Amino acid sequence: MAGGSIVTQVGGKEYPGNFTLFVAMACLVASSGGIIFGYDIGISGGVTSMDSFLSEFFPSVYRKAKEDVSTNQYCKFDSQLLTLFTSSLYVAALASSFAASSLTRTSGRKWSMFMGGITFLIGAIINGLAVNVFMLILGRILLGVGVGFANQSVPLYLSEMAPAKLRGMLNIGFQLMITIGILAANLINYVMSKYDWGWRVSLGLAGVPAFIITIGSLCLPDTPNSLIERGHSEQAKEILAKVRGTKDIQDEFNDLTTACEDSKLIKSQWKDMLEPRCRPPLVVTILIPFFQQLTGINVIMFYAPVLFKTIGFGDDASLMSAVITGVINVLATVVSIVVVDKYGRRVLFLEGGVQMLICQIAVGVLIGNAFGTSGVGELSKTYSMVVVGCICAYVAAFAWSWGPLGWLVPSEIFPLEIRSAGQTVNVAVNMFFTFIIGQVFLTMLCHMKFGLFFFFGGWVLIMTIFIFLFVPETKNVPIEEMVLVWKNHWFWRKYISESDIHVENVEMTKKSHVKTP
Ligand code: BGC
């Protein structure tokens, strides 16, 4: 999934390999996977704030939104059907990621990516041509099925194709592509809002990256890991040599084969996951995506234009503000890429949490002050700019902390043999809570009013304390030494027994990598 890297074969070893055409193609397809996911996140909020779209599909919301400012601002977009248009994608993604996980294993990564691409393509076409709400939601569900398949197979494909030393970078690179997809959606909405049929182009353009994934997956070979797993060892060897651009691949090939045999011995990753030694990563992997969604980020990503309209911005200004938050989101993600291995995960998590909390309190106070609980009022220009400024500072804080780290940390804390199941848990929890937030936000805004910002602020406080107490630093910790991180942690140590530790030079490692908070 977004940024999820599943390192299946190497234990910190590096093998010879070049940046070949295959790797470049794999990156292109993977970027399209990230872009399309981001595009789907960003597109629906802008479209649902377009008059021509609302009047055609959601006339009652349109009428309410057009009433004068004396009506309650907080409730004018409150419609379950409208939110279903946004959030149906995430339930579909959640359900299909389980099917995708078995197709990815039994038929290979390539066909799973193809399935993702083709369902995306059909979904985008149905959405672009929609004449009723049924077609809109059907299209969103197909896009969701595509997200489920692509997010399962693309990161896996990428981590198996790329040379080992590129994996970490590609991991956050995938998150960067998501933010670029969100920005592209915001920009396209901004341009297209000027035309009555603009929403058709906005929705239909999701077909472009979908087309790239579909064609790309047909042209690309399957990964050596997947070929070995399915009994095509000779072909796997040929492909590995081609992908790495060198004949010097015997070591890596042997390790891949051993890793494959090992993974066949493990009957059930799911059962292993319930062992005490996996309790720390399991708890962290469930809580991190849960908390990531409770930062409230998708309120901004899905509904920024609607939110800005709610607080009194004009059509153009709302969409423009969404573009501005989109740009901040991309730039702050780049900051994260640059500093994550230098300053570590905890510093970013903690700083991001404090900054988000301050901004949420500020936005809650500002909006509460302007609209009170009745939801009636108007914002002056300067006042609105201060609100947008706070929202931007909040987005930046998210984008260099919980955004990328919400995917990176769960992907690096499980023992090697159960990493892919760990990844499935991470994706499923994330999709589930993305759906919940998408579905209930507009109703929550209507009922909790400006208190909603304090609600998310409260969660940010809890998650920041959680990170401080329970999430150890994982920067530069080799996969096989992860167990020591837990063993040295004040709380988690009780779950790790001496027999779980098979690492040499424990003392040295303790000094060099492993610090408890
Ligand atoms: C989250 C998405 C969010 C995006 C914003 C991702 O890490 O999982 O839910 O929309 O960041 O950039």
Side-chain angles (χ1 to χ4, degrees):
M1 160 78 241
S5 117
I6 303 150
V7 181
T8 44
Q9 73 279 42
V10 286
K13 274 192 217 168
E14 290 200 1
Y15 306 100
N18 305 308
F19 192 81
T20 58
L21 183 66
F22 282 106
V23 176
M25 283 272 289
C27 289
L28 179 72
V29 170
S31 330
S32 311
I35 286 178
I36 199 168
F37 183 47
Y39 192 83
D40 289 331
I41 290 175
I43 206 71
S44 64
V47 167
T48 50
S49 79
M50 290 180 195
D51 286 350
S52 53
F53 178 83
L54 276 184
S55 62
E56 188 156 347
F57 297 106
F58 304 93
S60 64
V61 182
Y62 176 68
R63 274 195 303 276
K64 226 186 327 169
K66 282 287 141 187
E67 281 164 17
D68 68 330
V69 285
S70 61
T71 47
N72 188 337
Q73 297 286 314
Y74 298 121
C75 296
K76 61 186 186 183
F77 289 98
D78 179 20
S79 149
Q80 291 295 314
L81 202 57
L82 185 66
T83 42
L84 193 62
F85 167 64
T86 299
S87 59
S88 51
L89 186 148
Y90 302 92
V91 206
L94 171 61
S96 72
S97 69
F98 290 99
S101 147
S102 63
L103 183 77
T104 308
R105 214 179 39 246
T106 53
S107 310
R109 288 56 168 139
K110 178 184 162 100
W111 292 112
S112 200
M113 287 200 295
F114 177 76
M115 269 295 286
I118 201 89
T119 38
F120 270 141
L121 201 54
I122 301 173
I125 294 172
I126 293 184
N127 265 347
L129 300 177
V131 289
N132 50 36
V133 176
F134 173 75
M135 282 178 82
L136 277 183
I137 296 188
L138 178 68
R140 280 298 274 185
I141 290 177
L142 288 174
L143 288 174
V145 173
V147 168
F149 275 92
N151 284 352
Q152 172 73 26
S153 53
V154 171
L156 191 55
Y157 188 86
L158 200 56
S159 66
E160 291 176 351
M161 280 304 208
K165 57 178 183 284
L166 285 182
R167 274 184 207 126
M169 196 184 86
L170 290 174
N171 188 311
I172 301 194
F174 197 78
Q175 169 73 16
L176 183 64
M177 289 304 150
I178 297 179
T179 60
I180 291 177
I182 298 177
L183 176 61
N186 292 336
L187 278 169
I188 289 168
N189 277 339
Y190 181 67
V191 175
M192 286 302 146
S193 67
K194 312 210 165 25
Y195 308 95
D196 273 354
W197 40 265
W199 61 267
R200 290 195 186 277
V201 180
S202 290
L203 294 180
L205 276 179
V208 175
F211 184 73
I212 299 180
I213 304 181
T214 313
I215 299 299
S217 62
L218 285 179
C219 301
L220 286 167
D222 215 331
T223 64
N225 313 50
S226 176
L227 289 166
I228 297 174
E229 206 175 13
R230 290 179 294 125
H232 309 295
S233 283
E234 274 317 301
Q235 205 187 340
K237 210 166 173 178
E238 261 170 49
I239 300 278
L240 187 62
K242 267 195 198 153
V243 171
R244 296 282 174 260
T246 163
K247 295 228 172 323
D248 183 13
I249 44 122
Q250 194 59 43
D251 272 359
E252 184 173 2
F253 181 75
N254 293 344
D255 281 354
L256 286 182
T257 310
T258 318
C260 253
E261 277 157 14
D262 286 353
S263 76
K264 277 185 196 148
L265 289 179
I266 300 166
K267 288 248 163 32
S268 161
Q269 291 193 47
W270 299 105
K271 231 165 97 200
D272 279 22
M273 200 181 251
L274 297 176
E275 283 175 12
R277 71 187 171 109
C278 288
R279 201 66 43 81
L282 182 61
V283 171
V284 172
T285 297
I286 292 173
L287 286 179
I288 283 196
F290 165 74
F291 282 145
Q292 191 206 48
Q293 291 307 313
L294 280 165
T295 56
I297 188 65
N298 280 325
V299 165
I300 308 292
M301 294 304 143
F302 294 163
Y303 298 117
V306 172
L307 186 73
F308 288 127
K309 258 185 141 168
T310 300
I311 59 178
F313 287 25
D315 293 0
D316 236 31
S318 299
L319 288 164
M320 194 61 215
S321 309
V323 172
I324 296 171
T325 53
V327 172
I328 304 272
N329 194 18
V330 174
L331 296 181
T333 306
V334 176
V335 171
S336 192
I337 296 183
V338 177
V339 303
V340 70
D341 286 326
K342 197 159 158 214
Y343 300 125
R345 285 73 168 135
R346 278 172 57 84
V347 173
L348 288 174
F349 267 133
L350 297 176
E351 192 285 333
V354 172
Q355 186 171 329
M356 280 195 285
L357 179 60
I358 296 172
C359 298
Q360 277 160 325
I361 294 174
V363 174
V365 169
L366 287 168
I367 296 189
N369 193 27
F371 293 132
T373 45
S374 66
V376 179
E378 248 177 303
L379 302 185
S380 74
K381 207 170 169 128
T382 340
Y383 205 95
S384 318
M385 274 166 56
V386 177
V387 174
V388 174
C390 290
I391 292 181
C392 285
Y394 160 80
V395 169
F398 174 87
W400 61 53
S401 61
W402 282 87
L405 300 182
W407 296 106
L408 179 65
V409 171
S411 81
E412 60 186 15
I413 55 179
F414 270 107
L416 199 55
E417 64 286 3
I418 36 185
R419 241 163 222 220
S420 75
Q423 183 67 4
T424 306
V425 171
N426 184 22
V427 175
V429 177
N430 198 299
M431 288 297 125
F432 180 72
F433 286 100
T434 308
F435 164 71
I436 299 285
I437 297 284
Q439 190 60 28
V440 302
F441 164 67
L442 291 176
T443 309
M444 280 168 86
L445 181 65
C446 178
H447 294 283
M448 295 174 73
K449 309 182 167 72
F450 61 88
L452 187 59
F453 296 96
F454 300 135
F455 170 81
F456 286 123
W459 280 105
V460 169
L461 181 63
I462 295 173
M463 67 187 79
T464 308
I465 296 172
F466 169 77
I467 296 286
F468 183 74
L469 294 176
F470 297 107
V471 180
E473 183 55 65
T474 51
K475 127 182 140 172
N476 297 336
V477 179
I479 298 168
E480 61 278 14
E481 289 175 21
M482 214 35 238
V483 66
L484 293 175
V485 174
W486 305 117
K487 186 70 193 160
N488 288 308
H489 187 274
W490 70 273
F491 180 79
W492 299 118
R493 60 160 53 112
K494 56 178 173 269
Y495 295 103
I496 312 289
S497 67
E498 291 304 322
S499 61
D500 294 326
I501 301 174
H502 316 278
V503 185
E504 296 158 31
N505 286 334
V506 171
E507 280 315 310
M508 201 194 85
T509 316
K510 270 186 197 164
K511 277 187 214 126
S512 61
H513 300 293
V514 185
K515 288 191 198 96
T516 32

